Amino acid sequence: MDTIKLTLPLKEEDILRLNAGDCVLLSGKTYTARDAAHKRIAEALAKGERLPFDLSGASIYYAGPAPASPGHVIGPCGPTTSGRMDAYTPQLLAQGLKCMIGKGERSQIVKEEIARHRAMYFVCVGGAAALLARHITNCRTVCYEDLGTEAVRELTLCDFPAFAALDLRGGDIYRR
Amino acid sequence: MRVIYAEQIKQTVKRLIYEANFFISSDISAAIDAGILAETSPAAVSALEQIRLNYKIAAEERIAVCQDTGMCIVFAEVGQDAHIEGGGFDAAINSAVSEAYGEFYLRKSVVSDPLYDRTNTRDNTPAVIHARIVGGESIRLLVICKGFGSENMSAVKMLKPAEGEAGVLDFIVDTAAKAGANACPPMILGVCVGGTFEQAALYAKLMTARGVDSANGDVRYAQLERTALERINSLGIGPAGLGGKTTCLKVNIHALPTHIAGLPAAVNVCCHASRHAEAVI
Ligand code: SF4
């Protein structure tokens, strides 16, 4: 299978040329955020506060890693179900979010918003967490440390295997 | 009467949590291997190969198979002639969970209040404990570490008796179809038909750990297991939801006596990372 190597942050031309189903290897920086962090981000935005990190052009991996054992950068770190973040995603896209990595389908509204903002949604293999952790070469906590596994982290990915789940031509990996 | 010390229970549960999280049972890895041979699409093959390699890395490097190391569920069959000394039964299990999730670098995923606070308990306690009194003087312990991506896609339905086999079959297949990629397919379905509302759910959970190389002893239910599996695998969901034939590895069905007015059915969805281990003390 042809794989496309991509660097985060994604460029507009990358997003334009991707087709749903494309197999990609992602390198570069992404944040992690899942349920509790999204709730906090939404609350901060509702109050008009500045976010502790810049979403413009950014990527979010929906993941909550297990703790790193000695000698590892990070513990197992596979995707969590993206659909749980759907309620918050339009607000984050409005802040400039360009890329999301997770697993599972998105709501119709979120799919439309992703297309409207020319963003990209990738999925990776759920339950391949130990393997995926091998493709994470650096990890630092950015904010919301009290949330434990749900804190926002900045990861450096290196050839992280994923699939383009949507494309700007209406393609959807889950609707064949 | 035989004395069993709380410390033995604790150490056994700790060991089972360890085994479950780092070593996927051989029946599941054999089913993944078979899936690799059966799939034709590159994406499906790639997903299954990643899953296979993941099991290997987990076992060799002692990295948990999945980051969602779940809620820890303990099914205990306690012999009525066993006498537990040196501490409480539940306390021994909870202390095992607390220590194991710390020492083995497993994720702490439990919140104390479901609705308002959602504060993490920080040691993955409390465990979910289901104890049953049986004959004998030993204690059988089954530990299941259950992730919630798949748990969230599970369902209980109170069918009408008239809906019969077709109704049960549709419910099983619909539940798998709705689970889709969220449940990290290839999935394993634990099903219970009959009993009461809560009993069906409980046995469905047990069925997720019966093994993907097992079959119901009653030929009619064994056939129902096969029919459900075939229908699910023709949905096209495939490994990781990327399309293909390997959507479900096994449907395990348990049947229980029920009421003249009822036909309860429960489907507990489990991902391929089915983490369970058991021991007898
Ligand atoms: S559903 Fe299973 S394999 Fe998927 S993330 Fe949850 S625990 Fe891991």
Side-chain angles (χ1 to χ4, degrees):
Chain A
M1 180 174 20
D2 291 343
T3 49
I4 303 169
K5 288 197 170 219
L6 292 172
T7 306
L8 301 175
L10 287 180
K11 291 187 279 299
E12 172 105 11
E13 66 244 40
D14 295 332
I15 296 172
L16 284 171
R17 80 181 160 125
L18 282 169
N19 289 306
D22 281 351
C23 179
V24 301
L25 294 174
L26 302 174
S27 297
K29 296 213 189 315
T30 183
Y31 294 112
T32 64
R34 46 171 294 155
D35 310 57
H38 274 77
K39 186 159 179 267
R40 279 208 193 160
I41 292 167
E43 282 164 2
L45 291 174
K47 283 190 227 147
E49 289 169 9
R50 246 180 81 100
L51 293 180
F53 60 105
D54 188 7
L55 276 174
S56 155
S59 166
I60 290 183
Y61 180 22
Y62 302 130
S69 51
H72 293 102
V73 166
I74 193 168
C77 189
T80 196
T81 304
S82 311
R84 290 199 317 274
M85 270 45 85
D86 280 352
Y88 307 107
T89 302
Q91 279 171 281
L92 274 66
L93 287 165
Q95 295 293 313
L97 179 69
K98 274 289 170 197
C99 171
M100 289 141 279
I101 310 165
K103 64 158 166 149
E105 282 200 56
R106 310 306 302 261
S107 69
Q108 193 53 40
I109 293 170
V110 166
K111 284 196 268 190
E112 285 164 14
E113 286 294 289
I114 289 173
R116 194 167 69 85
H117 289 279
R118 291 171 175 259
M120 188 35 79
Y121 172 48
F122 295 104
V123 292
C124 48
V125 178
L131 165 75
L132 292 172
R134 275 195 174 176
H135 296 276
I136 299 169
T137 53
N138 195 44
C139 168
R140 80 177 172 91
T141 303
V142 175
C143 60
Y144 310 153
E145 200 162 358
D146 60 298
L147 295 179
T149 182
E150 297 204 65
V152 172
R153 293 175 172 79
E154 185 192 67
L155 307 182
T156 308
L157 307 181
C158 179
D159 290 339
F160 185 93
F163 300 86
L166 302 171
D167 62 43
L168 294 183
R169 289 160 291 284
D172 180 343
I173 201 169
Y174 298 127
R175 301 245 169 260
R176 284 162 303 262
Chain B
M1 195 193 77
R2 175 169 161 245
V3 171
I4 293 179
Y5 292 97
E7 184 64 21
Q8 281 173 274
I9 296 168
K10 174 179 159 182
Q11 293 307 334
T12 306
V13 171
K14 257 180 99 168
R15 175 169 61 81
L16 295 177
I17 293 172
Y18 182 84
E19 282 176 17
N21 276 289
F22 299 109
F23 308 99
I24 285 291
S25 55
S26 55
D27 55 322
I28 295 177
S29 47
I32 296 292
D33 288 346
I36 292 175
L37 296 176
E39 291 293 353
T40 46
S41 100
V45 172
S46 158
L48 290 173
E49 281 176 345
Q50 286 187 42
I51 288 168
R52 176 163 70 179
L53 181 56
N54 186 65
Y55 294 161
K56 189 166 173 279
I57 295 170
E60 285 176 6
E61 295 185 26
R62 301 291 193 274
I63 301 174
V65 168
C66 185
Q67 79 287 340
D68 184 357
T69 49
M71 279 191 92
C72 189
I73 300 153
V74 179
F75 281 93
E77 287 177 359
V78 182
Q80 61 185 15
D81 295 321
H83 179 68
I84 299 165
E85 280 186 12
F89 182 71
D90 285 14
I93 292 173
N94 279 313
S95 135
V97 170
S98 174
E99 286 183 19
Y101 276 71
E103 280 172 35
F104 307 147
Y105 299 92
L106 306 179
R107 197 179 81 182
K108 291 81 180 169
S109 315
V110 178
V111 292
S112 54
D113 175 82
L115 192 53
Y116 299 110
D117 306 333
R118 293 193 73 86
T119 309
N120 198 299
T121 63
R122 298 199 167 270
D123 65 356
N124 221 56
T125 61
V128 180
I129 303 170
H130 304 294
R132 208 161 66 86
I133 297 170
V134 298
E137 50 181 25
S138 15
I139 298 179
R140 175 182 289 274
L141 295 164
L142 166 65
V143 167
I144 299 177
C145 298
K146 186 67 171 71
F148 257 54
S150 52
E151 190 77 355
N152 280 338
M153 308 317 289
S154 306
V156 178
K157 187 172 183 185
M158 305 306 278
L159 294 139
K160 295 181 184 67
E163 292 179 84
E165 187 194 57
V168 170
L169 199 52
D170 285 348
F171 174 54
I172 297 171
V173 176
D174 285 353
T175 305
K178 282 186 197 138
N182 292 0
C184 294
M187 54 187 112
I188 296 158
L189 297 189
V191 178
C192 179
V193 187
T196 54
F197 180 80
E198 86 289 1
Q199 199 185 18
L202 200 62
Y203 275 81
K205 170 72 83 260
L206 264 177
M207 284 301 102
T208 64
R210 198 187 70 189
V212 301
D213 54 358
S214 68
N216 189 298
D218 179 326
V219 288
R220 298 165 303 172
Y221 286 100
Q223 181 56 48
L224 189 58
E225 290 177 344
R226 285 193 297 274
T227 309
L229 182 67
E230 276 165 26
R231 273 186 54 185
I232 294 165
N233 283 337
S234 59
L235 292 172
I237 296 168
L242 301 175
K245 302 171 213 160
T246 321
T247 302
C248 182
L249 301 179
K250 185 71 180 50
V251 178
N252 286 337
I253 302 179
H254 188 73
L256 288 172
T258 191
H259 190 276
I260 47 173
L263 179 57
V267 180
N268 195 191
V269 182
C270 187
C271 47
H272 65 85
S274 170
R275 284 144 298 166
H276 56 89
E278 61 180 299
V280 178
I281 307 177

